[in-house]
Amino acid sequence: MQENNKWTFASSLILHTRPVRVSAKTLRYTHTFGLGGMSLVLFMLLVGTGLLMIFVYEPSPERAYQSILFMQQEILFGRLIRGVHFWSANLLIAVAALHMMRVFLTGAFHAPRQSNWIIGLSLLFLILLSGFTGYLLPWDQISYWAITICAEMLGYMPGIGQTLQRVILGGTEIGSATVINFYALHTIVVPLLLVALMTWHFWRVRLSGGVVVPRDAEQDPQAGTDYVPFIPNLLYREIAVGLMLIAFVLVIAIFFEAPLGEPANPGLSPNPAKAPWYFVGLQELLLHFHPVFAVFVIPLVIAIAMLGVPYLRYDSDLSGNWFLSPKGRRMAVVSAVTALLLTPLWVWVDEFVIGAGGLLPGVAPIISTGLLPCAVLLAGIIGFYFLIRKRFSASKNETVQALFVLLAVGFAVLTVTGVWFRGSGMALVWPWQT
Ligand code: HEM
């Protein structure tokens, strides 16, 4: 009897944030790949291992590196705990980004889910902030110089850049105030914000009656939506995926140790010095555009577009299925192939043909390497939009999705280029020469 009560209490607690009934069609694993739930599991692993590390870590430039070494060498399971934290953090960034793409590519950002899309984007921002603030804490050469690169990028922002840089670093350069700032943000402020936003996020999914329901090609979209209780149908599936993910993280943490370089040396910059992998795409932009455009104008335009995408006026309601429709899928393939071909070509041409002077050498850099190439890029993107829309006689939904795929694959190519194809002096090299 008491067991029964406990179970009822647990299930009603769960059902406060999760939907009571869900469409059986959404239970198919490939509909969501469980990516939202996986993000939650990774976050819980981060909190669990982070709490344990707080007992050993010392947030000061003099003690930080030693305390990490001590944790790895002297503490029972210290190496494993740090490894699980490191891998969960990196996986969370990738998994949350993939979850965002799943939501986009099934059109799940449309009404009534617009506000949840915005909450999701805020979650992604916070996850990146969490990764960024945690990156510095080991205080080794890798972390010190990666954060130096990011701080320099921040400084390029017109008007607010220098102030923002000073506030975040707690001074003009990276030092003890920076470690304290990053530690407080990483261990208290950002996790609390994440918990609050995640709770809101889950509640909004519940309000929408679960995730977006796939449309049935042969049937009336409203017909045959057979709803089943969340417990046990979805809950047990989520638990199974969660347990497999935890096993996976444990295995990679055992076999691949979290990196720890030499202690930070502010006087000796590694060559090349790279940002954390999730900001390397931005660092790559910096090699091609004037800094104001690379770290401010382009990211700002993309952020506004992402925030605004649910509020555009669309000509059809295609949400529910992957890539919206068979035509949407073909268009996405064309966009992906276009980005896969054109982005490396553009990187190569800019490096070896155009060069540092930009499109009009001799003219002010902000025009020749900023305004002008950005105008050419924008014209290309707008041209692509109209061309693909006409070629496929597509709806606005399908064309906006094609554009999203073009930009997402383009950014992925820039990231891969920055991580594997940049060597000494950030010159283009083959991965085996780095
Ligand atoms: C810590 C990060 C996140 C967690 C824990 C999380 C969790 C979840 C979960 C569990 C679901 C329902 C199941 C699923 O779709 O897999 C969901 C749905 C959703 N998420 Fe997230 N999410 C996160 C980040 C994001 C991001 C970055 C975005 C987009 C920018 C986003 C937008 C949405 C939307 C719009 C839905 C409703 C989708 C639908 O109805 O099909 N979420 N999220």
Side-chain angles (χ1 to χ4, degrees), residues 57-67 137 139 175-176 179-180:
Y57 179 76
E58 295 179 57
S60 77
E62 296 76 33
R63 300 286 315 145
Y65 186 82
Q66 290 308 321
S67 66
L137 300 183
W139 202 256
S176 54
V179 188
I180 296 278

Side-chain angles (χ1 to χ4, degrees), residues 112 249 407 413 427:
V249 174
L407 296 177
V413 171

Side-chain angles (χ1 to χ4, degrees), residues 205 232 341 388 401:
V205 175
L341 294 175
I388 197 164
Q401 174 182 259

Side-chain angles (χ1 to χ4, degrees), residues 14-87:
I14 293 170
L15 291 176
H16 268 84
T17 49
R18 308 307 310 274
V20 181
R21 301 176 75 74
V22 291
S23 160
K25 286 185 194 167
T26 60
L27 294 180
R28 207 180 322 128
Y29 182 63
T30 51
H31 183 53
T32 63
F33 290 98
L35 292 163
M38 284 165 70
S39 307
L40 176 67
V41 171
L42 290 168
F43 177 72
M44 292 194 306
L45 282 179
L46 282 168
V47 173
T49 47
L51 279 175
L52 291 173
M53 291 200 292
I54 281 182
F55 290 99
V56 181
Y57 179 76
E58 295 179 57
S60 77
E62 296 76 33
R63 300 286 315 145
Y65 186 82
Q66 290 308 321
S67 66
I68 298 272
L69 268 190
F70 177 76
M71 183 186 333
Q72 303 230 121
Q73 291 165 359
E74 308 294 333
I75 304 281
L76 185 65
F77 295 127
R79 204 178 287 272
L80 180 66
I81 290 167
R82 179 166 177 252
V84 170
H85 196 80
F86 171 83
W87 284 110

Side-chain angles (χ1 to χ4, degrees), residues 44-365:
M44 292 194 306
L45 282 179
L46 282 168
V47 173
T49 47
L51 279 175
L52 291 173
M53 291 200 292
I54 281 182
F55 290 99
V56 181
Y57 179 76
E58 295 179 57
S60 77
E62 296 76 33
R63 300 286 315 145
Y65 186 82
Q66 290 308 321
S67 66
I68 298 272
L69 268 190
F70 177 76
M71 183 186 333
Q72 303 230 121
Q73 291 165 359
E74 308 294 333
I75 304 281
L76 185 65
F77 295 127
R79 204 178 287 272
L80 180 66
I81 290 167
R82 179 166 177 252
V84 170
H85 196 80
F86 171 83
W87 284 110
S88 304
N90 284 286
L91 278 174
L92 177 58
I93 294 171
V95 169
L98 288 174
H99 170 61
M100 186 260 286
M101 284 184 209
R102 181 306 273 171
V103 169
F104 199 101
L105 298 177
T106 52
F109 57 82
H110 289 291
R113 297 180 172 83
Q114 309 100 311
S115 52
N116 221 9
W117 171 255
I118 307 287
I119 299 170
L121 285 178
S122 318
L123 280 170
L124 194 59
F125 172 77
L126 286 173
I127 289 169
L128 289 173
L129 185 60
S130 172
F132 172 65
T133 48
Y135 211 93
L136 179 69
L137 300 183
W139 202 256
D140 62 349
Q141 275 290 74
I142 315 169
S143 63
Y144 181 89
W145 287 99
I147 299 304
T148 305
I149 297 288
C150 293
E152 274 171 15
M153 292 205 279
L154 269 182
Y156 289 130
M157 286 193 184
I160 49 163
Q162 301 290 329
T163 316
L164 203 63
Q165 197 187 41
R166 258 200 305 277
V167 169
I168 291 180
L169 298 188
T172 48
E173 52 191 52
I174 300 183
S176 54
T178 322
V179 188
I180 296 278
N181 275 0
F182 277 41
Y183 186 63
L185 284 168
H186 186 73
T187 56
I188 299 171
V189 182
V190 179
L192 284 181
L193 286 174
L194 275 170
V195 169
L197 277 188
M198 270 186 214
T199 314
W200 192 10
H201 192 58
F202 293 147
W203 182 65
R204 294 250 26 137
V205 175
R206 182 190 191 283
L207 278 188
S208 314
V211 298
V212 70
V213 179
R215 282 170 296 116
D216 211 323
E218 290 95 56
Q219 286 179 16
D220 169 357
Q222 297 305 318
T225 39
D226 38 346
Y227 278 78
V228 294
F230 171 81
I231 304 174
N233 295 288
L234 184 53
L235 182 67
Y236 286 9
R237 282 173 166 81
E238 287 184 340
I239 291 175
V241 172
L243 289 177
M244 279 192 283
L245 179 63
I246 293 173
F248 175 72
V249 174
L250 274 174
V251 170
I252 50 170
I254 288 168
F255 288 106
F256 303 96
E257 216 176 276
L260 185 68
E262 294 294 311
N265 180 351
L268 179 71
S269 163
N271 188 3
K274 293 189 187 178
W277 66 267
Y278 36 89
F279 290 138
V280 160
L282 277 183
Q283 192 182 5
E284 182 65 30
L285 280 183
L286 206 50
L287 296 173
H288 302 284
F289 292 100
H290 187 277
V292 169
F293 282 82
V295 303
F296 184 67
V297 179
I298 299 176
L300 186 70
V301 171
I302 303 267
I304 293 174
M306 292 287 278
L307 288 166
V309 84
Y311 302 98
L312 294 176
R313 203 170 312 145
Y314 292 94
D315 46 11
S316 55
D317 175 18
L318 282 176
S319 52
N321 292 1
W322 270 97
F323 300 104
L324 309 179
S325 63
K327 189 195 286 176
R329 183 182 298 265
R330 285 197 302 278
M331 290 170 74
V333 171
V334 170
S335 300
V337 172
T338 308
L340 279 175
L341 294 175
L342 290 191
T343 320
L345 181 69
W346 167 67
V347 167
W348 187 85
V349 168
D350 193 45
E351 179 103 353
F352 297 112
V353 182
I354 299 177
L359 286 176
L360 283 179
V363 175

